[in-house]
Amino acid sequence: MLDLRYVAQNFDEVVARLSRRGTVELGEFKRLFGERRELNVQIEKLRSESADVGALLSPGKQPVTREVRGTSYVQPLGDEQKNELRALSKELKEKSKDLEGKLKEIESQLDQILLTVPNLPHASVPEGRSSEQNVVVRVVGERPQFDFEPKPHWEVGESLGILDFERASKISGARFAVYKGLLARLERALASFMIDVHTSRGYTEVLPPFLVNRASMTGTGQLPKFEEDSFKTCGDPELFLVPTAEVPVTNLHRDEVLEGDQLPIKYCAFTPCFRREAGSYGKDTRGLIRQHQFQKVELVKFCRPEASYDEHEALTADAEEILKRLGLHYRAVSLSAGDLGFSAAKCYDLEVWLPAQQTFREISSCSNFEDFQARRANIRFKPSAKEKPQFVHTLNGSGLAVGRTVVAILENYQQKDGSVLIPEVLRPYMGVDAIRKA
RNA sequence: GGAGAGAUGGCCGAGCGGCUGAAGGCGCUGGUUUGCUAAACCAGUAUACGGGGACAACCUGUAUCGAGGGUUCAAAUCCCUCUCUCUCCGCCA
């Protein structure tokens, strides 16, 4: 979330920057902020008074002198004075309790607003309201040529007998798939390959819980706004199935103060991801593109604020490395302000070429969240032993979405005879050079 | 599922109704001493939000001893509820 005081002090600027995304939802922020300050001052005054009363009534080692309500009291006190002060203290407590109630109400309203306001887009983010205005920053590799009509991945998979949507829907419903034989192995091979590449490049592998609590979901920005997108366990304890490893991995350091020289911290994690895909009823109903459950290797970084944009480029390059090694044609696009995710200040999508649809599809999304998640999740670092802790910057990106990588391989490496070649780098993991009809 | 124990500052650990933001230790920072290292000694060492000051140093107010309520003139300390952690038994893997 955004910093309360920053918003208050730079209100117009914040509104202007948010409006690049489209809607601005700051509601009654200004009025509430003013009331909050006023109440705070009043409450502190009352408390200070009652602390004086407390000191006078307490049998301390040294005699105490205090001025309360214009009268000065000197210990030792007479009974009458004591009774006076006791009565006053009660009154003060009641008053401040009353005001505290009001303050609480206002703070929760302010919180509500801040928790649902998205991050400010970075200056380098392209102008625009939708994906139409995303800017292609580079195109890598060559579009594969086919001397036959390339089939969509679901046809490739089903005709090889390694992909089964019908049985998946019997077991679970729409938007699920069953992989069999070498396709199941391909998923495993890809995950291992990706993790091996990333760990060799300085990422620490993490296997986190796949069920997380509400605080974790709030920390990374999924809640409170997008609850309908997630799967939730019923009752007690209330847990959410992770929509991405970003959630558990970023929350590894929630409420922690990291040492400055530990940074940057780089993690990678292979996990399943669960998404309701609410509101996407007509979209991508065929194939593996949009599933309720898929697997992903995620990269997560914690770094110093001044390093985050360099780290963002580097993280994107790390994700791209996988595509390059797999020989897949792709492009990188910088998302326009309006297409940016809720928590992101800047985001590159990597889009892989899918020949059957003659289109690029998102296979990775690499975001810099600046301190937006760190503030929600309270993740700080000490720049040096002497300095105060400050919020880290967090980043993450898919490296890559494994399910969609399977799609890309099935489509780009399909052969005229219906078989699928295995990219060179995966062969040690697969033990075969192609998937052929049994 | 049954029976217990506990949650205090970066960490360990006292305190169990009243100048206690909280002893002591460790760690950390600065200094002294020292051929280097080590050690010893001295000093400093929480965070947040207000007010003053130059959005500096600094001064000052308030809050914070797992969370929330209650008792009391006064709560880290007493009571209630919740959360989490740990130990033992059972159960499952």
Side-chain angles (χ1 to χ4, degrees), chain A residues 316-373:
Chain A
T316 308
D318 290 332
E320 286 178 57
E321 182 66 21
I322 302 294
L323 285 160
K324 286 180 183 162
R325 293 198 194 188
L326 290 172
L328 293 167
H329 174 50
Y330 71 93
R331 66 181 191 184
V333 302
S334 181
L335 298 195
S336 77
D339 203 26
L340 228 42
F342 177 77
S343 302
K346 183 174 184 177
C347 178
Y348 293 118
D349 272 4
L350 301 180
E351 301 179 333
V352 70
W353 176 253
L354 296 184
Q357 289 90 58
Q358 289 286 300
T359 177
F360 287 99
R361 288 303 302 250
E362 179 189 335
I363 196 165
S364 172
S365 197
C366 301
S367 305
N368 184 354
F369 304 99
E370 298 189 353
D371 62 4
F372 189 85
Q373 293 182 326

Side-chain angles (χ1 to χ4, degrees), chain A residues 184-354:
Chain A
R185 192 192 293 179
L186 178 61
E187 174 96 2
R188 217 157 29 92
L190 278 168
S192 293
F193 164 66
M194 291 179 194
I195 291 283
D196 286 348
V197 170
H198 294 312
T199 52
S200 78
R201 291 159 69 94
Y203 289 83
T204 302
E205 184 175 359
V206 171
L207 200 164
F210 306 149
L211 286 163
V212 297
N213 58 29
R214 181 169 286 273
S216 295
M217 290 287 277
T218 305
T220 34
Q222 280 73 22
L223 295 182
K225 239 187 147 176
F226 308 103
E227 188 151 354
E228 69 282 359
D229 291 335
S230 52
F231 285 105
K232 184 167 56 163
T233 60
C234 54
D236 192 26
E238 181 195 50
L239 292 169
F240 296 83
L241 277 75
V242 295
T244 156
E246 162 191 355
V247 178
V249 177
T250 305
N251 278 282
L252 273 177
H253 295 300
R254 171 152 51 85
D255 294 319
E256 289 185 17
V257 179
L258 306 166
E259 291 303 328
D261 54 22
Q262 289 179 264
L263 300 177
I265 295 174
K266 297 156 72 173
Y267 293 121
C268 63
F270 169 57
T271 73
C273 304
F274 303 93
R275 300 187 181 177
R276 294 275 300 278
E277 296 297 344
S280 63
Y281 299 112
K283 283 185 199 162
D284 306 312
T285 48
R286 297 209 67 177
L288 291 170
I289 291 293
R290 197 173 298 274
Q291 299 278 293
H292 285 312
Q293 174 191 320
F294 61 95
Q295 310 203 80
K296 188 155 63 70
V297 169
E298 186 76 359
L299 305 174
V300 176
K301 283 190 189 181
F302 302 80
C303 72
R304 290 168 177 267
E306 63 273 18
S308 74
Y309 280 91
D310 287 343
E311 293 289 354
H312 186 214
E313 297 298 326
L315 183 141
T316 308
D318 290 332
E320 286 178 57
E321 182 66 21
I322 302 294
L323 285 160
K324 286 180 183 162
R325 293 198 194 188
L326 290 172
L328 293 167
H329 174 50
Y330 71 93
R331 66 181 191 184
V333 302
S334 181
L335 298 195
S336 77
D339 203 26
L340 228 42
F342 177 77
S343 302
K346 183 174 184 177
C347 178
Y348 293 118
D349 272 4
L350 301 180
E351 301 179 333
V352 70
W353 176 253
L354 296 184

Side-chain angles (χ1 to χ4, degrees), chain A residues 11 26-37 106 109-110:
Chain A
F11 192 76
L26 281 168
E28 300 214 73
F29 180 87
K30 257 186 146 163
R31 196 203 87 222
L32 292 167
F33 186 82
E35 280 181 33
R36 188 191 79 116
R37 166 169 286 177
I106 282 170
Q109 286 180 47
L110 276 170

Side-chain angles (χ1 to χ4, degrees), chain A residues 22-128:
Chain A
T23 49
V24 182
E25 317 155 35
L26 281 168
E28 300 214 73
F29 180 87
K30 257 186 146 163
R31 196 203 87 222
L32 292 167
F33 186 82
E35 280 181 33
R36 188 191 79 116
R37 166 169 286 177
E38 211 161 288
L39 279 171
N40 243 325
V41 170
Q42 288 181 43
I43 289 168
E44 288 191 1
K45 223 182 245 170
L46 291 172
R47 282 183 177 158
S48 171
E49 250 185 325
S50 92
D52 283 338
V53 174
L56 285 166
L57 253 11
S58 118
K61 292 150 199 155
Q62 306 277 325
V64 171
T65 304
R66 288 291 145 88
E67 187 165 308
V68 177
R69 293 273 157 115
T71 319
S72 85
Y73 293 81
V74 183
Q75 283 185 330
L77 269 45
D79 283 349
E80 193 160 321
Q81 287 185 310
K82 282 187 184 170
N83 288 332
E84 231 171 84
L85 290 175
R86 280 179 189 152
L88 177 62
S89 175
K90 270 202 154 154
E91 187 192 321
L92 291 173
K93 187 149 193 186
E94 262 167 46
K95 263 192 201 161
S96 70
K97 225 177 204 172
D98 183 45
L99 295 181
E100 275 163 30
K102 282 183 189 160
L103 181 67
K104 224 176 190 175
E105 175 60 27
I106 282 170
E107 293 204 310
S108 88
Q109 286 180 47
L110 276 170
D111 238 39
Q112 205 50 43
I113 291 173
L114 282 181
L115 281 172
T116 55
V117 170
N119 202 356
L120 303 174
H122 187 254
S124 64
V125 168
E127 217 55 59

